[in-house]
């Protein structure tokens, strides 16, 4: 069976407090976008895992897809499988690619081997793999809180808009991104701000990571301003970076200097 794990963007990201367990509570709208990896899992005589496409640093045996399989195997008699992941979503980009791969592994195994796990049960397994993983079980626009792994419905739609994703060939680890953040209670409710027209977001909706990361990596601020100059009605960093995205009212012809980056243009 083959699935196509997709990326997500964060529309607003407020880091509200540091938790006793060392993690941070946050509030954000997670929104799926059609930039996809490819994941295939088939029964085999021996479990194996193969990766192609974008290079993934580290030992492949610790990949989240394998960890998802091993976690389910603790509770279910899963047969050996051959797993193949073709990676297109960049690493350290704030797009949740690794989390999506893990969540889609859970979903695929659940369907392929008739485990009969509910959505809530799959989310519980996903939370054990990473804070963003649980979002990709439902994989629809959601208002996320606590560690980003608890959800509420929200009426936010970008249907008909064009999203430009710009990855400036710079990976930022989650640990680095959180090292210099200063949690604070927001002055305004992000949920309320998201109910306003997209054209108002530029002046009201922020990603708190930009405050600490833009001075360290000026290219991020530059890309954001370039997207506005190209006609974006809203632009922001996604997650803990480093992808900057712009929302446009229609498809756009970007200036030649964008060729220095990895760029995807997707109509929702």
């Amino acid at each position: 069976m083959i699935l196509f794990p997709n990326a997500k963007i964060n529309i607003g990201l407020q880091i509200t407090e540091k938790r006793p367990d060392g993690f941070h509570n946050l509030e954000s709208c997670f929104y799926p976008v059609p930039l996809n990896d490819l994941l295939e899992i088939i029964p085999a005589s021996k479990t194996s895992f193969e990766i192609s496409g974008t290079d993934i640093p580290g030992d492949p045996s610790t990949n989240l897809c394998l960890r998802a399989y091993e976690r389910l195997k603790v509770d279910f008699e899963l047969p050996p499988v051959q797993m193949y992941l073709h990676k297109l979503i960049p690493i350290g980009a704030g797009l949740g690619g690794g989390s999506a791969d893990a969540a889609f592994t859970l979903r695929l195994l659940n369907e392929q081997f008739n485990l009969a796990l509910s959505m809530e049960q799959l989310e519980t397994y996903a939370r054990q793999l990473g804070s963003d993983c649980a979002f990709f079980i439902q994989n629809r626009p959601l208002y996320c809180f606590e560690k980003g792994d608890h959800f509420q419905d929200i009426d936010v739609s970008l249907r008909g808009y064009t999203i430009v994703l710009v990855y400036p060939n710079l990976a930022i680890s989650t640990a680095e991104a959180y090292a210099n953040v200063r949690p604070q209670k927001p002055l305004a409710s992000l949920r309320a701000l998201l109910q306003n027209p997209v054209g108002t977001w530029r002046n009201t909706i922020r990603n708190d990571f930009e405050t600490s990361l833009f001075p360290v990596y000026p290219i991020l601020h530059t890309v954001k301003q370039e997207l506005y100059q190209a006609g974006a009605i809203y632009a922001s960093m996604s997650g803990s970076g480093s992808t900057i995205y712009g929302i446009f009212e229609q498809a756009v012809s970007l200036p030649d200097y964008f060729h220095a980056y990895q760029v995807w243009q997707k109509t929702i």
Side-chain angles (χ1 to χ4, degrees):
M1 295 182 68
I2 297 176
L3 291 180
F4 298 90
N6 57 270
K8 59 82 181 164
I9 57 171
N10 294 78
I11 308 175
L13 200 163
Q14 298 174 336
I15 305 166
T16 59
E17 62 183 347
K18 190 166 185 177
R19 300 160 52 99
D21 60 10
F23 290 93
H24 290 77
N25 283 333
L26 59 86
E27 296 181 22
S28 182
C29 176
F30 285 17
Y31 201 101
V33 292
L35 173 62
N36 302 83
D37 293 336
L38 181 150
L39 174 67
E40 180 182 37
I41 301 178
I42 58 175
S45 59
K46 180 181 179 181
T47 295
S48 63
F49 181 58
E50 181 182 353
I51 304 173
S52 63
T54 301
D55 182 55
I56 302 177
D59 185 350
S61 66
T62 64
N63 186 275
L64 280 170
C65 294
L66 271 178
R67 288 173 56 193
Y69 168 79
E70 294 295 342
R71 181 60 192 86
L72 282 182
K73 200 170 184 295
V74 171
D75 297 332
F76 298 92
E77 294 184 3
L78 296 180
V81 295
Q82 178 182 335
M83 307 176 70
Y84 170 67
L85 175 66
H86 183 67
K87 194 73 183 153
L88 292 176
I89 303 171
I91 310 299
L95 297 174
S99 297
D101 296 337
F104 273 66
T105 299
L106 294 173
R107 290 169 53 182
L108 196 157
L109 292 170
N110 183 49
E111 180 179 355
Q112 188 166 7
F113 297 114
N114 300 311
L115 305 183
L117 291 166
S118 67
M119 184 176 297
E120 291 75 16
Q121 289 172 312
L122 286 170
E123 287 180 352
T124 297
Y125 280 107
R127 289 186 183 98
Q128 299 172 46
L129 300 169
S131 296
D132 289 353
C133 292
F135 163 75
F136 290 100
I137 299 299
Q138 296 188 50
N139 200 33
R140 60 187 179 89
L142 289 169
Y143 195 74
C144 304
F145 57 97
E146 293 195 15
K147 294 189 297 182
D149 59 353
H150 288 78
F151 318 111
Q152 295 174 348
D153 291 335
I154 188 167
D155 184 19
V156 172
S157 174
L158 297 178
R159 185 174 298 277
Y161 288 97
T162 293
I163 295 181
V164 174
L165 304 166
V166 182
Y167 178 65
N169 302 309
L170 168 68
I172 298 177
S173 71
T174 303
E176 178 185 7
Y178 273 101
N180 295 311
V181 297
R182 296 182 178 180
Q184 57 184 345
K185 296 294 183 182
L187 297 176
S189 164
L190 176 59
R191 170 180 278 279
L193 295 174
L194 286 164
Q195 303 309 306
N196 295 324
V198 179
T200 69
W201 292 355
R202 178 174 182 173
N203 298 316
T204 59
I205 294 180
R206 301 280 184 268
N207 179 335
D208 285 350
F209 282 112
E210 293 182 5
T211 302
S212 58
L213 290 176
F214 278 15
V216 180
Y217 300 106
I219 185 63
L220 302 177
H221 180 262
T222 297
V223 171
K224 182 176 178 178
Q225 295 308 306
E226 289 172 340
L227 287 169
Y228 276 129
Q229 291 169 15
I233 59 173
Y234 179 69
S236 175
M237 187 168 71
S238 183
S240 56
S242 62
T243 298
I244 308 292
Y245 69 88
I247 300 175
F248 294 80
E249 293 182 305
Q250 57 192 5
V252 59
S253 296
L254 297 170
D256 289 343
Y257 53 74
F258 274 86
H259 293 163
Y261 316 129
Q262 293 185 53
V263 181
W264 299 268
Q265 186 167 169
K266 304 289 185 179
T267 299
I268 303 299

